[in-house]
Amino acid sequence: MIMKSIRYKTIIASISLALIMSACSDYLDINKDPNNPTDVSLALLLPYSQAAIVGAVDNTAGGLTSHTQTIMGQYTQRGFMSDYGLQPNDFPIIIGWAQFYTEALTDLNIVINKGTTEESWYYVGIAQVLEAYLFSVAVDLWGDVPFSEAGLGSANPFPNYDSGEDVYNGIFILLDNAIENFEKDAPIATSDLFYGGDPDQWKKLAKTLKLKLLNQVRLVQDVTAEATALVNEGDLILDIEDDWQLPYGTSISPENRNPGFVQEWTAGGQFYYIDPYFFETMQGTETFFPGGNIFLGINDPRIPYYFFNQLSTADDGAAQNPCAYCPSRSGTPFLSIFAFSFNIDPNEGFDQGRSQTVPGLYPMGGRFNDGAGGVAANASALTAGQVSGPGNVPQRLLTSFQTKYILAELALAGLIPGDPRAFLEDAIRDSFAKVNEVAPLGSAPAISPTNINTYVNDVLAVYDGGGDELQVIMTQKWIASFGYGIDSYNDFRRTGFPVLHDGNTDNLVVTARTRNFPVSFPHELQDLITNPNAPPQRVITLDRVFWDPN
Amino acid sequence: MVAAHAWAQDRSVSGRVTSAEDNSPVPGANVVLKGTTNGSVTDSDGRYTLSVPATGGTLIFSFIGLQTLEVAINDRTQIDVSLVLDATQLSEVIVTASGIQREVKSLGYGVERVGGDKVSQVAEPDPLRALSGKIAGVNIIGSSGAAGSATRITIRGNSSLLGATQPLIVVDGIPYDNSTNNTFNQLTGGGAYGSRFQDIDPNNIASINVLKGAAASALYGTRGANGVLVIITKTGGSNPSKKGMEISVSSSVAFEQISNLPDYQNTYGTGVNFGYQQVNGSWGTPFIGTRDYANVETIPHWYNGIPGFEDLWGTNVPYRAYPNNTKDFFRTGVVYDNSVGFTAGNEKSNLSVIISNTSQEGYVPSEEFKRTNFSVGGNSILNNGLTVGGNLAYTNSFQHNTQGGANNAVGNSSAFARILYQGRNWDLQGQPYQNPLTNGSIYFVDVSQSDNPIWSSKNAGIESKTDRYVASLNLGYDIKEWLNVTWRAGVNGYTQKQTDWFRPGSRGAGGSGQVTNFDVRFQELQSDFLVTISKDINPDLNVRAILGHSLNQRDTESQAYQGTGYVDFYINDIDNTNAVIPAGGGISKRRIIGTYGDVSLGYKDYLFLNFTGRNDWSSTLPASNNSFFYPSVSAGFIFTEAIGGLPSILNYGKIRASYAEVGGDTGPYQIFPVYGVNPGSINQTGNAFPFTGSSGATLSNTARDPNLKPERTRELEAGLELKGWNNRISVDLAVYKKNSFDQIASIAIPQASGFTGLFTNIGELSNKGIEISVGITPVKLSNGFTWDVRGVYTYNKSRVEELKMPNGLPISEITLRNTFAGTVQSVHIVGQEYGLIKGTIAARDDEGNLLINPADGQLIADPNPAVIGNPNPDFIFGLTNTFSWKGIALSVVFDWRQGGDLFSTTVNTYLGRGVTKDTEDRELGAIIPGVYGDPNTGEPLRDEDGNKIPNQTNIGLNTFYFGNSFGINSQDEWAVWDATVFRLREVVLGYTLPKSILSKTPFGSVRVSFTGRNLWYLAPNFPEHTNFDPEISQFGNTNAQGFEFAATPSVKRWGFNINLTF
């Protein structure tokens, strides 16, 4: 009997267990992610997309400033890149593209949709300005890009590419809508990393961006009326207080420092050289491109804020390896390599991580060049021989000096009223003010008014000297823009200035240009492969963007 | 029992059952009165007693592995029998799916059994690697020679495009997780993390049953698609001990060394174009005495100008070769393995205890692997007929590795960054490796390029500690003689604590020092309830039916923390860092409910049919799609039994065929989109949230398919088994075709869609293959000498059949794995083989001529990448020769892996750095065959007649390997080699002492052996002097294969082993 009882208990218990487990549908209802939310607030979405956009254009190996400053002769890099060797899978291209479309656009679309439902108009307006900016950069580099069908996810995984002109028209609408939204009553967008949610500042940015884009298209359409209206409204970024820029922090963990600083100030781990052509233009010399420097003899006081020399003496032997552009050439501890010298100059390939000149305080938060040298490092605890900078200098995106250079260009072209020379002077002074704004972050002295005045007068003398006035404006703008490269690349394709170093016409035997100047960027490779609606790859030496009739 | 009492007891028979092989008693043998259920089991001394009717009757004696014997009782009361080994193993019982035991001869599909002795005692701490070359249809590849590194195993190819392809491992009925828990992507950092199967004690493995095909594994349903390794441990098994009490001791020591140093050139030191420089490449001026013109006698000290080495500033050192500067970095490692086992048993109960310890010091300085196992298990038949059993196993594993990863990644710091390609004049052993001022690394090149390998091995690394437990129990009861219920349940889990660290002054982690802790807790619960019905319908037809119900739950929790900036240089504790942030992790839980049935029919011992069906419900799929059914049918026909008149040379012949479906669900939380909160990396340099005080969130970049369906695999298999010439030749042939469709994958979609991927059912993959095992005994002499040859041949072709979007739109290609953004990748392309290597190529004209840049005589890059390699081997062949004579056995395992490409940065760097003899003969230039081309357009240049212009630009060999030609600064295609390799995998020479000698000692058996592993190999298609061993894989046990980025080279071992029982 005991046996029987055990037997039946076992059977009953087992069968009930089985039934309970199977019948209980809750047992399987456990697939809700406990780690990540399925909905978040606008206040959380906005800052990420803001940082992501800056990540696309920033001063790192994966930022678009990297390529554009190299093409524009501000940086040199070892290898093909300094011979216009752009590839469709280069870091800045694939990362810039991905940051725009997958990191920023998706979240910004959610902000716009959700913000419209919630009537959080400032969030909506900010997202519209940011989308306008990212699509404008995309058109300026890649010509035709997905716009009207972009960012729709699985609803349209293979978006068509719109013509650059159509995208620009859409951008102007986005900006006009944004301006309207900033004029409504709405809760402040408190999580805004740029302007603390201030709708007036954002309105200025929207209008300034519009002015910038009107200037961009001025060769292919008459922008006189619209540009003049914007100038007359006066609601533009005209003071360095209004500059659009991303402030960084000093925290290493989480990493909040200027990413250019994090990258370039890794001890001995430099990626960029400073292009000697850019350096000599600022130094007022021309040792390898006779006749190329319109500012010959004018020494720019911004040099120690722009570049940091790791060497402390102008002694070639102090370099860790034989040098290409050596201190003896410039008479300063500045050390670099020439563009167009890969595979020709045997000294191009040597490690100069501890000897080369690196981007300094102004562009990325490195150290002010006090002449003492030292190995550039970003570690929290420096070891013997290492020096560092503050690391928290903002990434500039659209500043008052840029506005004023745009005004100078528009005025010179006769598209707006005003004196281009006065706009130029204001622009130069604002660009110095910008350096002086950054100086205290690096415990650096301010550039004295005397030095500023001397420089301004010297440059205006060149402006007045009978040469090409546009060349003076654009060359100055190029110098001022150091640290944000995309506008210089646009400006060059629009105006032909500054005149760039050409490895085939200089007096160097160690340089040769084997490729032509790229008038646009190659389409990002992964999207070309995966999108059946993508156009054929661009021929970057021939396929211009729509606003470039040159 | 009631029936037994009612039996008329007229007399009793007793006796002893012994083994004919050695006359030892056979405990646990069945003694049954034929035609009844009246029976008994022999005790530990092989004795039995049985009540039988007064007259007549026949006793049937049976025991697994021995031939069943029928003896008529007549009028005897004492019947002693001696059972002989079942030489053909025809009645061998094998454990198949869900622990169901079946006779091998009845199976309609291929299953292979490997004895535990094949994986222990072979100087291989990793039991999976010990299987290499021994089983047809199984592909095993170690990730590196680093102590405790992961091993990848696939059975019959890959059944999943992007999901798991590793077989399910089931130990004593409970799944055994074999994950690799990486703190970092192994490309961009971290070490050679282990795979968790390494926690198992090889000394405790009784057998490994490999269920290769879908029919064999169909009862595992959702988890059976990649095949199953069913492992029975000695402590978890249910066979009582042969002796009443036995103690076994196994002890071994093995020594290991790096197996593949290249032949270094010692003529040229560092520099460029025959001039000395302090650089990486050995392309400098020759050493004095090697060339007539050599004239550099001394060079400035490498540490000139480095603060902390002021006493060396301005000094010179001799310019000479240090031929052993790499070899002397490595050491002779040693592996100790010790194990003691206790077994005790009688006819009702048994108990086993095994304690083992493995301790490995790797050949790379500071690398270690240690493992301690305690296992205990027992089974008992209670007086009331209930069978109760259980086992417990505890493992403590420890791994210490150097930092690895590709050195070109920002912030990476591999100990192997330079060690294999050091400048030939670098005095690694004679110079300081640590800066006395900073404690940081000091090396012949700047720390921005590489850490000193000696410094790295002491001051950076990974450490992993795992505590693993397995506990299971089983209960069984025969309700009727034909009806049994069994419940088996268990838990298998571990906690793993992993630490990655770089002390300050490293290239890694920005030089500030960094400690990353990664904690993982994993637990798997499994319950199986089975009802078994066995009936003989009539004397010719036997039916067995099993109904089962199973529950499975897997629960993982992980969290990483990263501390940056060391306070004290030597303390690798995260409390010793300046700032700590969370670095990822999460909770995941998944469940599967299954019900299954298995019906087998046996007709006249020669025709067998088996039907199974399983329905699974998975928690990870959408509720509307989470139930799925997997059927299988298989048949076996032993034609030698069924058909008379076959030639007598044929002892046994069987054909078999099967069809089955198995499948796969997906991971937890894959069907709904979610937001990432405070993302860890906004841009290239890792800016992170919280950002200047603000938190942030972003929608995941993977779009989700809410209608996800389970993956399915359908497989057809046919097989033929033959034995002949007195069983001295045996052949087992299997062919199969396996189609896996509704593959679940995150496919890359254009990023302009706002997403990088779409997680959906994507396509179909097929595997076709042939497996052949051949056993031959060419020599079998009367003096006992035998020579056995066993060959296993594995051929598998995996082909991507179809890729498509949910809306049906076809896709031509998906990315399986990116390496560095935009460069070499692993891809699946429709119509081609699995996981091809894609990368950059040089531009060519329409006729395939390389285009040469007239400006420099070098190659021109093609902007579009292409397929540059196929990592899948054409076939794998393993050959085991065993010679045995009077207790001496020599077994030699040779294997041959034909084909399969490897992208190797190590080999590429050997050439690019000019360190091996391959590039020693360099005082001649070279002209790359090709035609001049325009680097702007990628078109060939033409002369005035429109003809292409052959390249005539001479370049130095330095440029040939260092410029944009064929070395490290060139396109990916030049870093791919055919990885065909021949290998002497294993040599074991063993001697078992004769019983006659042992009879006067306490020992039951004594065996001593010598073992060598990987003593020789040849990869003929790699550059000769690189001596490269291609059996290496960067991505451990993941699907992306065929990549090697400065991985730890492979290892060779030789050792001694002694086994005692008493």
Side-chain angles (χ1 to χ4, degrees), chain B residues 88-92 103-108 605-606 608 636-642 646-656 720-732:
Chain B
T88 59
Q89 298 283 302
L90 290 189
S91 62
E92 186 188 355
E103 284 184 284
V104 171
K105 69 175 181 184
S106 74
L107 296 175
D605 264 9
Y606 60 74
F608 302 92
F637 176 56
I638 302 171
F639 56 86
T640 43
E641 298 274 319
L646 292 169
S648 60
I649 193 122
L650 186 64
N651 305 118
Y652 176 75
K654 175 180 151 188
I655 52 172
R656 53 175 206 250
L720 174 67
E721 293 166 37
L722 297 172
K723 290 177 202 246
W725 193 31
N726 295 326
N727 294 318
R728 283 173 68 173
I729 295 179
S730 67
V731 175
D732 188 329

Side-chain angles (χ1 to χ4, degrees), chain A residues 87-102:
Chain A
Q87 294 294 320
N89 55 357
D90 285 345
F91 257 35
I93 292 172
I94 57 174
I95 291 176
W97 183 270
Q99 293 277 122
F100 277 164
Y101 280 103
T102 69

Side-chain angles (χ1 to χ4, degrees), chain B residues 328-506:
Chain B
D328 290 349
F329 170 74
F330 299 106
R331 64 183 180 184
T332 298
V334 60
V335 186
Y336 298 100
D337 185 81
N338 292 290
S339 178
V340 185
F342 305 88
T343 48
N346 56 32
E347 67 273 19
K348 297 267 182 156
S349 299
N350 66 77
L351 177 72
S352 303
V353 174
I354 293 184
I355 302 166
S356 302
N357 177 268
T358 299
S359 172
Q360 176 183 15
E361 285 178 10
Y363 73 85
V364 180
S366 84
E367 292 202 342
E368 278 184 279
F369 176 70
K370 290 179 184 166
R371 177 178 57 216
T372 305
N373 299 79
F374 293 91
S375 311
V376 54
N379 287 282
S380 190
I381 304 168
L382 306 185
N383 284 334
N384 60 20
L386 200 62
T387 308
V388 182
N391 70 306
L392 276 169
Y394 167 78
T395 305
N396 177 274
S397 299
F398 172 87
Q399 184 194 11
H400 177 156
N401 264 192
T402 54
Q403 283 283 349
N407 211 59
N408 51 339
V410 176
N412 244 21
S413 175
S414 168
F416 282 84
R418 293 290 183 283
I419 183 62
L420 296 172
Y421 345 99
Q422 292 195 101
R424 304 310 307 137
N425 58 303
W426 291 357
D427 181 15
L428 178 67
Q429 284 72 23
Q431 299 300 327
Y433 57 84
Q434 189 157 22
N435 188 318
L437 213 55
T438 65
N439 287 325
S441 169
I442 180 73
Y443 196 36
F444 305 95
V445 290
D446 198 88
V447 71
S448 64
Q449 297 195 22
S450 169
D451 285 354
N452 185 308
I454 298 177
W455 187 92
S456 182
S457 70
K458 292 176 192 291
N459 293 303
I462 67 158
E463 205 170 275
S464 177
K465 296 170 193 159
T466 304
D467 289 294
R468 184 157 199 160
Y469 56 92
V470 182
S472 69
L473 61 87
N474 59 75
L475 294 171
Y477 187 67
D478 290 331
I479 295 170
K480 299 272 185 194
E481 62 192 83
W482 51 270
L483 178 64
N484 170 275
V485 292
T486 302
W487 182 53
R488 189 174 57 234
V491 55
N492 184 337
Y494 57 80
T495 57
Q496 180 175 0
K497 293 185 80 70
Q498 201 153 268
T499 305
D500 277 63
W501 74 91
F502 297 99
R503 289 178 181 152
S506 162

Side-chain angles (χ1 to χ4, degrees), chain A residues 3 35 89 103 107 268 354, chain B residues 384 446 448 587 698 701 751 822:
Chain A
M3 293 307 309
N35 308 296
N89 55 357
E103 299 300 327
D107 293 334
R354 285 182 283 115
Chain B
N384 60 20
D446 198 88
S448 64
I587 302 168
T698 179
N701 285 336
Q751 295 163 91

